[in-house]
Amino acid sequence: MLSEAELPNSLISQSLVTIAQQFVGCGKVQEVHPLGSGNINDTYLVDTEQQPFVLQRINTEVFSQPHQVMDNLCRFVSHARERLSKAPLNRRWEVPTVLKTVDLQHHWIDPQGNVWRGLSFVQGTTTFNTIQNQDHATEIGYGLGCFHSLLSDLPSISLADTLPGFHITPNYLLQYDGVLLQTSAASPEEQYCHTLIANHRHRLSVLEDAKAAGYLPLRSIHGDPKINNILIDTVTGQAASLIDLDTVKPGLVHYDIGDCLRSSCNSLGEETQQWQAVTFDVNLCAAVLEGYLSSASTFLNAVEYEYIYDAIWLITFELGLRFFSDHLAGDIYFKTQRPNHNLERALVQFQLAESVNMQKPAIQKVINQLKAHYCAEPGWVA
Ligand code: GN1
Ligand code: MG
């Protein structure tokens, strides 16, 4: 049988229409277009006679238990809906709907074993790969804070761990060490990455150590709240929803805070090829954190504030390490568009982490000021 890459485009879109039809029953699917720029799943927008919807093929190489991914997603959706119906927000906030198949299932398995799901498309919204301005930054932060706050009373134990090891930085270091044993001569850029990892490897367990010591609680988190997963209302400019809910599972809110800040405070974006020009913008960081805490201060405890700086540096560095290890391993995890793509992405994240490192006093000052304003509990020093 031909793989998808070998099929003519007309046949691919024909089979996508057939797959999409599983989620619309008697309504007719008109067209299916690729959507977004995800590195893991395949995502499409489906035009139908009625509402458009989002069709996704779950990457089962990454998510080996797709049923659990869907169970977590459904649990999140019903919990967030209930919260919003009991205590409505005074602004727009959308929780996507999981579409049922014609057989009333929350996913569909095609004859090749691919797992597909349908989700509602949130109308009147857009996303950005790079930050637009300070107001956008505040809304990005608010969106994450709102999401965390809706999940703050969903015990993390009620969600399955659908991606063991995700954001456990010491595990990524072990994987890097394993790949390193099998690699030969390094280019100057690769050598630069190796040196950075050697310089910082002693710092990579900071969040896991704090978790193991009981300082930081496991919560229900998003896992991947990067800038382009936060939908912005096209009229008001306000955050309206978080999408890409595969990694909703137990974790530290710090993974999310770090991921949100590393993706929104780098004005050149994570796909830039000018890695040496990448910097971390502290003013944007202040705006994102202000927006975040305006919603998240209701549940965030004093100790959690103490690890925000560490999270910003660590999750940035961690993504550099993940991209670099994948480059060394032959690009087996993240989708790539060109040779050395994962190396370029790694350099961007490592440069960003260096910029965070150099600006530690300024970033910590922002966090301290926000803590003084938002945190009611007494101080605590880690
Ligand atoms: C992956 O597929 P996408 O783009 O939503 C990755 C994230 C990374 C991100 C970097 C499950 O997310 O952790 O931060 O790429 N998701 C997974 O762009 O590994
Ligand atoms: Mg994702």
Side-chain angles (χ1 to χ4, degrees), residues 37-41 62-63 163 166-167 223-224 226 229 244 247 259 262 270-271 319 322-323 333-334:
S37 52
N39 292 329
I40 307 291
N41 295 324
V62 172
F63 297 103
L163 197 50
F166 190 50
H167 290 310
D224 189 15
K226 58 181 175 178
N229 281 334
D244 192 12
T247 46
D259 196 53
R262 66 127 200 112
E270 71 181 58
E271 291 291 333
L319 186 57
R322 293 173 63 200
F323 281 141
Y333 184 89
F334 296 103

Side-chain angles (χ1 to χ4, degrees), residues 131-139 281-288:
I131 202 83
Q132 305 298 295
N133 50 43
Q134 293 279 121
D135 289 344
H136 184 207
T138 309
E139 285 304 313
D281 185 321
V282 180
N283 291 328
L284 290 173
C285 171
V288 174

Side-chain angles (χ1 to χ4, degrees), residues 9-77:
N9 282 342
S10 56
L11 268 186
I12 296 173
S13 48
Q14 187 47 48
S15 66
L16 285 171
V17 168
T18 310
I19 293 159
Q21 200 66 54
Q22 299 299 319
F23 294 89
V24 287
C26 44
K28 196 162 163 16
V29 170
Q30 290 165 332
E31 245 181 281
V32 185
H33 327 262
L35 180 68
S37 52
N39 292 329
I40 307 291
N41 295 324
D42 299 331
T43 307
Y44 304 91
L45 183 64
V46 180
D47 288 328
T48 73
E49 284 169 330
Q50 288 128 24
Q51 301 288 310
F53 73 94
V54 177
L55 177 70
Q56 281 191 308
R57 184 172 73 97
I58 302 179
N59 181 335
T60 47
E61 297 281 315
V62 172
F63 297 103
S64 62
Q65 306 291 333
H67 305 81
Q68 289 186 349
V69 170
M70 294 310 293
D71 288 345
N72 279 1
L73 177 50
C74 293
R75 187 145 299 150
F76 156 73
V77 167

Side-chain angles (χ1 to χ4, degrees), residues 18-218:
T18 310
I19 293 159
Q21 200 66 54
Q22 299 299 319
F23 294 89
V24 287
C26 44
K28 196 162 163 16
V29 170
Q30 290 165 332
E31 245 181 281
V32 185
H33 327 262
L35 180 68
S37 52
N39 292 329
I40 307 291
N41 295 324
D42 299 331
T43 307
Y44 304 91
L45 183 64
V46 180
D47 288 328
T48 73
E49 284 169 330
Q50 288 128 24
Q51 301 288 310
F53 73 94
V54 177
L55 177 70
Q56 281 191 308
R57 184 172 73 97
I58 302 179
N59 181 335
T60 47
E61 297 281 315
V62 172
F63 297 103
S64 62
Q65 306 291 333
H67 305 81
Q68 289 186 349
V69 170
M70 294 310 293
D71 288 345
N72 279 1
L73 177 50
C74 293
R75 187 145 299 150
F76 156 73
V77 167
S78 63
H79 182 83
R81 289 251 157 83
E82 199 184 322
R83 275 281 299 267
L84 287 167
S85 72
K86 283 189 192 143
L89 301 176
N90 55 5
R91 52 181 278 176
R92 180 181 187 198
W93 189 261
E94 308 277 352
V95 179
T97 303
V98 180
L99 304 188
K100 289 268 161 62
T101 65
V102 285
D103 298 329
L104 302 178
Q105 303 299 310
H106 54 30
H107 65 280
W108 186 68
I109 304 181
D110 72 21
Q112 284 73 41
N114 294 304
V115 181
W116 298 86
R117 62 149 178 240
L119 292 167
S120 60
F121 177 70
V122 183
Q123 304 267 12
T125 60
T126 189
T127 60
F128 298 91
N129 289 330
T130 52
I131 202 83
Q132 305 298 295
N133 50 43
Q134 293 279 121
D135 289 344
H136 184 207
T138 309
E139 285 304 313
I140 291 292
Y142 174 85
L144 181 62
C146 180
F147 187 91
H148 279 171
S149 151
L150 287 173
L151 281 185
S152 59
D153 59 345
L154 177 67
S156 65
I157 196 146
S158 60
L159 298 174
D161 186 355
T162 47
L163 197 50
F166 190 50
H167 290 310
I168 310 295
T169 320
N171 284 1
Y172 294 118
L173 186 61
L174 283 176
Q175 282 170 16
Y176 162 78
D177 286 341
V179 179
L180 191 56
L181 293 176
Q182 293 150 33
T183 54
S184 46
S187 68
E189 286 84 4
E190 289 170 339
Q191 191 48 54
Y192 173 73
C193 297
H194 289 309
T195 305
L196 277 180
I197 296 167
N199 289 346
H200 292 297
R201 55 185 302 135
H202 64 283
R203 301 172 61 184
L204 301 189
S205 62
V206 56
L207 289 183
E208 295 317 304
D209 289 348
K211 186 167 85 182
Y215 296 153
L216 299 176
L218 272 185

Side-chain angles (χ1 to χ4, degrees), residues 303-358:
V303 180
E304 287 175 302
Y305 282 82
E306 303 296 329
Y307 285 90
I308 291 178
Y309 171 79
D310 290 318
I312 303 170
W313 179 81
L314 184 73
I315 299 301
T316 309
F317 194 89
E318 176 193 277
L319 186 57
L321 180 64
R322 293 173 63 200
F323 281 141
F324 186 51
S325 300
D326 198 35
H327 164 73
L328 296 176
D331 303 324
I332 51 181
Y333 184 89
F334 296 103
K335 291 182 199 167
T336 51
Q337 271 86 51
R338 52 183 181 272
N340 288 338
H341 194 168
N342 276 321
L343 175 60
E344 289 167 13
R345 288 165 166 162
L347 288 164
V348 170
Q349 296 305 315
F350 284 140
Q351 180 73 10
L352 192 61
E354 288 293 276
S355 176
V356 170
N357 213 13
M358 277 174 355

